[in-house]
Amino acid sequence: MLRGIRTRLLGLVIATVVPFTALIGGGLWNQWRGDQSQAFRSALIEARLLAARVDDQITEFDSLLIGLSQAVSTTPDDIQANDLALRRAKAELPDYVGNILLSAPDGKNIGTSFEPAAGGRTYIGDRDYFRQLLAERQGVAIGNPVHGRTTGAWVTSVARAIKTPDGRLAAVLGVGIQIEHFQKALTVHDLPTGSIVQIVSENGIVILRNDDASWVGRNLNESEIIALLSASREASSAVLWPDRVERITGSAAMVAAPWIVSVGLPTEYVLSNVVTRLAWGAAASLVTLLVALGLASAFSGRIISPLRQLSEDASALAAGKLTHRTEVNTQD
C-alpha cells in the first residue's frame, strides 16, 4: 500500500507532464506542416520567376533577330556583307550567345558571325527549328539542344523567319545559345544548398539542369513529365524526379517557348527547422519530467516515512515484541 502511494504520486506527476509534452509535439507538427506548405509555395514562386526570366531572355533574342533582320540581305550574293554585320552584332552580345546564322530557304548559309570552317559554311536544313519555320507554322521557333557544328558545345537556337512582302520565306535568321553559359546566367543563389533547376521541352527533352550538364539532351518518359507538370499548382507531397530523388517541386510553363521550368528543393529543407525545435522541445520535456519526478519523490518521502514507521511498529508489537519502542520527532 505504501509503495502504491508513491507510485500513484509519481504517476500523477507524469500525467501532469504528458499534456505539456503533447502540447509541444502538437506545436511542432503544426510548424512542420506550415514549413512544408511554405516550401511548396517557395518552389512554385521560384519556378514562375525563373520561367519569366527565361521568357524575357527569349523575347530579347527575338527582338535582336528582328533588328538584325533589317541589317542583313537575303540575297546570296551579299554573303560577305552579312558576315560583317553579324560579326559586329556578335561582338556586343554576352558570352553565352553562340553563332548567329542567316540561311536561305534551302538551309544553306548566307551569313555567319563565325569564320566559316575549312569544310564550308554551316547547313541547318536538318534542324528542327528550321523545319518548323519552313512549314510556316510560326514566325519564331526554338530548337531542342544539339551539339553546335561550329563550337561542338550544347546549344539551343532561337530562329525567326524573314519573309518577302508577299509572305514567302526569304531566309531564316537564328542565334545559338550555349547551354553551359546560359546555365550560369540562370544560377539561383537564394535557394537552399542542393536545389535543382531544370528546364524541359514539350517533347520531354532536358534543355537545362543546373547541377549536371550531362542531363542536357536526355529524353524523359511520360510519367516523369506528368510528375513535374503536377507541381505546376499547389502540391501536397514531394515529386520523384528523373534521378529517383524526391524533392519539394514547383513547375511553371513558359510563354515565349514551349518549355517547363521546374525547381526542386531538398526535402531536408523543410525538416531542418523542425528538427532543431524538436531537439529543444524533447530536451525541455525530459528536464521538466526529471525535475518533477525528483520533487515528487522528495515530497512523497515525507508523507510515506511516518506511515512506513507506524506499519513497522505495529508489526513488531503484533509479533509479541512488547519491549519495542519507537522514536518520534515532531512538534505537533
Side-chain angles (χ1 to χ4, degrees):
M1 181 189 68
L2 300 181
R3 215 177 278 126
I5 292 176
R6 170 165 285 183
T7 302
R8 291 175 184 179
L9 286 174
L10 296 180
L12 181 61
V13 171
I14 294 175
T16 305
V17 175
V18 165
F20 171 72
T21 305
L23 181 63
I24 294 177
L28 291 173
W29 169 255
N30 289 333
Q31 181 66 46
W32 181 80
R33 293 294 299 271
D35 288 349
Q36 186 185 46
S37 299
Q38 181 60 42
F40 280 114
R41 287 193 295 270
S42 297
L44 193 59
I45 290 172
E46 290 294 342
R48 290 171 178 172
L49 290 175
L50 281 175
R53 188 184 303 178
V54 179
D55 273 329
D56 289 341
Q57 291 278 346
I58 299 298
T59 302
E60 289 177 5
F61 288 128
D62 187 30
S63 300
L64 170 67
L65 294 177
I66 293 174
L68 287 177
S69 65
Q70 305 301 316
V72 296
S73 171
T74 59
T75 304
D77 295 335
D78 296 328
I79 289 181
Q80 300 301 324
N82 289 337
D83 288 349
L84 181 59
L86 295 179
R87 288 170 191 172
R88 287 176 177 173
K90 173 64 175 68
E92 302 296 327
L93 296 176
D95 292 339
Y96 58 80
V97 177
N99 201 358
I100 306 175
L101 298 174
L102 179 66
S103 304
D106 59 0
K108 294 181 179 179
N109 182 262
I110 56 175
T112 177
S113 63
F114 271 45
E115 184 70 29
R121 292 177 173 267
T122 303
Y123 174 77
I124 65 167
D126 56 346
R127 296 303 198 196
D128 55 348
Y129 64 88
F130 183 83
R131 291 196 296 267
Q132 292 177 23
L133 295 175
L134 198 63
E136 298 185 353
R137 285 184 286 180
Q138 51 197 12
V140 179
I142 302 175
N144 289 323
V146 294
H147 285 289
R149 288 177 175 138
T150 55
T151 63
W154 280 104
V155 297
T156 183
S157 298
V158 180
R160 169 168 279 277
I162 301 177
K163 297 186 177 182
T164 61
D166 59 357
R168 291 182 296 106
L169 181 67
V172 171
L173 182 61
V175 56
I177 308 170
Q178 295 187 17
I179 297 294
E180 181 180 357
H181 294 289
F182 194 52
Q183 192 170 351
K184 294 177 182 177
L186 290 177
T187 300
V188 180
H189 301 284
D190 298 333
L191 295 179
T193 303
S195 298
I196 304 298
V197 176
Q198 179 176 270
I199 300 179
V200 180
S201 72
E202 61 180 347
N203 300 321
I205 298 176
V206 178
I207 305 294
L208 180 151
R209 182 163 164 147
N210 68 330
D211 68 324
D212 188 355
S214 66
W215 280 89
V216 176
R218 291 195 190 184
N219 278 300
L220 305 184
N221 59 48
E222 185 178 355
S223 62
E224 292 170 339
I225 299 173
I226 292 174
L228 293 174
L229 281 174
S230 68
S232 61
R233 54 188 178 273
E234 293 290 347
S236 58
S237 61
V239 172
L240 185 65
W241 280 51
D243 56 3
R244 318 314 298 170
V245 176
E246 278 195 345
R247 295 182 177 91
I248 299 166
T249 306
S251 296
M254 290 175 49
V255 176
W259 295 348
I260 302 168
V261 179
S262 298
V263 174
L265 307 180
T267 54
E268 296 81 3
Y269 172 67
V270 175
L271 298 177
S272 59
N273 292 332
V274 178
V275 168
T276 302
R277 294 189 182 98
L278 180 61
W280 282 105
S285 299
L286 181 61
V287 170
T288 302
L289 179 61
L290 293 177
V291 171
L293 289 176
L295 293 175
S297 179
F299 283 111
S300 63
R302 300 186 56 142
I303 298 174
I304 294 173
S305 294
L307 296 177
R308 179 178 289 116
Q309 182 180 355
L310 179 60
S311 176
E312 292 173 353
D313 293 340
S315 298
L317 292 173
K321 297 179 181 179
L322 300 183
T323 59
H324 174 74
R325 297 292 182 269
T326 186
E327 182 178 351
V328 179
N329 295 319
T330 180
Q331 296 178 357
D332 57 21

